Amino acid sequence: MMRSSANSLEANLTKLFAVPIVTIAIIVIGISLYFALDWLEMLTLVMAILFPSVFALYKAYHSVFNTIDRIAVQLDSIANEEFTVWQLAQYRQGSIANLKNDLKTIAQRIQNKRYEYAQNEAFVFDFINELELPILVLDHHYQVYHFNGAAKGFYEDFQITGLGIHELKLEQNNGKWQVSHKNQRYKVVEHELYRGGRKYHLMVYVSIELSLRRNEQEAWQKLVRVLNHEVRNSLTPIYSMAQSLKDLTVQDGPGLRDTMLDVIEKRSEHLLGFVASYSKLSQLPTPHKVSMCLIGLSDRLQALFPKVNVKRLYEGAQSIHCDVEQLEQALLNLVKNAEQANALAGEDEITLAISRSDKYWYLDVIDNGIGVGHSDNLFVPFYSTKEQGNGIGLVLSREIVRGQSGELTLESRQDKQGAIARICMPV
């Protein structure tokens, strides 16, 4: 039976096939009228000419859509990754045979990609199993689909396959997963995976305490390197001169002895100051913050730094909430650094610019020195590029500012030579 619907291939073919049928019918009727044939002769003529044509057109119509149906079934088989059944096997030449070969090529490529994805998936799961971090793979229902050995140990060898997030004690805080285990906190990093048209969730457990301990260890290693450098630099000449004093004879005179003792005294004094600086850094008092008028603060800073150009880059009466004395101490250190930087470059101008944004106050100490060098070590305690520096000023200033919920940064100027030390304080 012929299928037809508006705006379809069936309807178009039906219209096209109707043309030869109507044409043949008109010809048969014309012949019958021209030769004055009776109804039996005309029926015979119709059966001999019209019926074979209609039957041939019907078979052509059926063959076309049968082939299309087979192609649809074949595409459905490929879509479902079934590569063993072929619906177009009888066609060995012509366009359909070429189409069959193209479909086989596509199927082979899909098989290769499927194998490649399977290999990649196996690699990912094998890689997960080798990691020491606890890792879970949850399905689209947030139930455990796969887990590695570290996750098994994390849950003390408990059978966790199929468990949900509540049984796993996973909690979400501000859109981030976390879990506590044996008095340790873990942040859980979530990554999405897609497999077989479904979404899976890769949950990686990262110990917060472990990260903090690693950062602390790195900080201590830097500190120990600086301490070793500073103490060794002082003790080496002290030890050498002490040995020389033991071998010093009377003929050498008291002058040399006094000089050596004076050097030992100075180096010992430096070490005492070094230790005092460390004590000062580790025992900062709790800030006592009050509301301070910015005009009064800027006037106070101008009196404190008479050689510094204090600029107010804001309008109106404004106030800042801070510990004024501690903030001044931080600025004293920054201005001192700026003076030393200017001296190295043969400059003398220092600007203290006070400005604000919607959320922050900015106090910028701007110099015309040689800019910032060794930026990785700027805030390492006791690290200094100055010959007489103790490496404590910047660190102390940053700790003071951070104690008041602010931040201190130091970077080179973009407009010209020099550096900008910026104190950022919340409004």
Side-chain angles (χ1 to χ4, degrees):
M1 173 178 265
M2 289 189 180
R3 302 165 291 181
S4 63
S5 61
N7 300 321
S8 65
L9 177 63
E10 292 90 337
N12 291 335
L13 286 178
T14 300
K15 293 175 183 178
L16 292 173
F17 287 176
V19 173
I21 293 174
V22 171
T23 301
I24 293 174
I26 293 174
I27 293 173
V28 169
I29 294 173
I31 292 174
S32 299
L33 293 175
Y34 182 81
F35 290 103
L37 300 177
D38 57 26
W39 67 271
L40 183 60
E41 293 173 331
M42 187 173 65
L43 180 61
T44 302
L45 183 62
V46 168
M47 293 180 63
I49 299 176
L50 186 60
F51 280 5
S53 301
V54 172
F55 179 77
L57 290 174
Y58 171 77
K59 294 297 290 184
Y61 181 95
H62 179 75
S63 177
V64 168
F65 286 99
N66 180 59
T67 303
I68 292 175
D69 289 340
R70 287 173 176 269
I71 293 173
V73 172
Q74 188 64 65
L75 290 173
D76 185 66
S77 299
I78 294 175
N80 290 287
E81 300 182 355
E82 297 176 0
F83 306 110
T84 57
V85 178
W86 290 96
Q87 303 292 326
L88 305 173
Q90 71 271 28
Y91 297 101
R92 298 183 180 181
Q93 294 181 355
S95 299
I96 301 301
N98 294 334
L99 177 62
K100 180 181 68 174
N101 293 331
D102 292 340
L103 290 176
K104 283 188 175 182
T105 301
I106 294 173
Q108 185 61 48
R109 290 180 179 177
I110 292 176
Q111 278 185 297
N112 294 338
K113 287 293 183 181
R114 180 184 180 186
Y115 177 76
E116 182 180 333
Y117 291 150
Q119 290 293 102
N120 291 340
E121 182 181 281
F123 170 77
V124 169
F125 280 92
D126 289 342
F127 183 70
I128 288 173
N129 292 335
E130 294 298 324
L131 292 177
E132 295 182 359
L133 291 175
I135 298 177
L136 301 177
V137 179
L138 308 182
D139 62 18
H140 59 289
H141 296 298
Y142 275 95
Q143 295 178 334
V144 177
Y145 169 75
H146 179 79
F147 57 91
N148 65 355
K152 183 178 181 182
F154 182 89
Y155 288 101
E156 300 176 348
D157 295 332
F158 187 74
Q159 181 55 253
I160 60 176
T161 302
L163 294 184
I165 56 176
H166 297 295
E167 293 86 354
L168 297 171
K169 299 181 180 179
L170 286 171
E171 298 177 352
Q172 218 171 15
N173 186 13
N174 296 326
K176 297 182 179 179
W177 293 102
Q178 60 184 16
V179 65
S180 297
H181 178 70
K182 293 182 178 180
N183 297 323
Q184 289 192 35
R185 293 174 300 160
Y186 288 80
K187 68 176 181 180
V188 181
V189 183
E190 180 181 6
H191 301 277
E192 293 183 351
L193 300 174
Y194 290 89
R195 179 176 182 267
R198 291 187 176 182
K199 183 168 69 173
Y200 293 81
H201 308 271
L202 183 68
M203 315 295 283
V204 182
Y205 290 35
V206 181
S207 173
I208 297 176
E209 277 76 9
L210 182 59
S211 299
L212 291 175
R213 284 198 295 269
R214 287 176 178 171
N215 292 336
E216 182 180 346
Q217 183 181 16
E218 291 177 1
W220 275 110
Q221 287 174 347
K222 288 183 178 179
L223 178 59
V224 168
R225 286 198 298 268
V226 175
L227 286 172
N228 177 67
H229 177 267
E230 190 69 24
V231 173
R232 184 182 294 274
N233 282 352
S234 292
L235 288 182
T236 299
I238 290 176
Y239 175 79
S240 177
M241 281 183 285
Q243 291 293 109
S244 298
L245 282 173
K246 290 171 63 176
D247 299 332
L248 197 65
T249 63
V250 178
Q251 289 78 10
D252 294 323
L256 182 58
R257 181 184 297 108
D258 292 342
T259 301
M260 289 184 178
L261 289 174
D262 183 62
V263 173
I264 291 175
E265 179 184 4
K266 293 298 183 183
R267 297 311 302 174
S268 300
E269 183 180 341
H270 174 75
L271 277 179
L272 289 173
F274 179 79
V275 174
S277 297
Y278 174 74
S279 176
K280 185 178 181 181
L281 177 62
S282 61
Q283 297 177 6
L284 283 174
T286 302
H288 177 63
K289 296 196 287 186
V290 296
S291 183
M292 180 69 181
C293 173
L294 258 297
I295 296 177
L297 177 62
S298 63
D299 292 341
R300 182 167 171 166
L301 293 175
Q302 187 65 79
L304 185 62
F305 309 117
K307 296 182 180 181
V308 175
N309 182 19
V310 179
K311 292 183 178 180
R312 295 195 297 264
L313 307 178
Y314 60 90
E315 298 180 356
Q318 305 282 349
S319 297
I320 183 172
H321 196 61
C322 65
D323 185 317
V324 180
E325 286 74 19
Q326 288 194 15
L327 183 60
E328 288 177 347
Q329 179 62 46
L331 288 169
L332 276 169
N333 293 328
L334 298 179
V335 170
K336 180 180 178 182
N337 284 344
E339 290 174 345
Q340 294 172 344
N342 277 348
L344 292 174
E347 301 285 346
D348 57 4
E349 182 182 357
I350 298 175
T351 301
L352 173 54
I354 306 175
S355 60
R356 64 161 290 175
S357 64
D358 293 337
K359 297 182 179 180
Y360 299 101
W361 282 106
Y362 302 106
L363 290 84
D364 295 338
V365 178
I366 307 170
D367 63 53
N368 295 312
I370 59 175
V372 177
H374 306 284
S375 58
D376 293 339
N377 298 316
L378 282 176
F379 295 100
V380 174
F382 313 116
Y383 175 86
S384 177
T385 58
K386 306 181 186 73
E387 184 177 351
Q388 300 298 325
N390 57 17
I392 201 70
L394 273 178
V395 182
L396 179 62
S397 297
R398 187 175 68 171
E399 292 306 308
I400 289 174
V401 173
R402 284 183 172 178
Q404 302 188 51
S405 303
E407 187 56 79
L408 170 63
T409 59
L410 182 63
E411 59 184 19
S412 296
R413 296 175 62 174
Q414 300 297 320
D415 56 341
K416 58 184 295 187
Q417 179 176 281
I420 301 177
R422 166 167 287 186
I423 294 178
C424 175
M425 300 283 290
V427 172

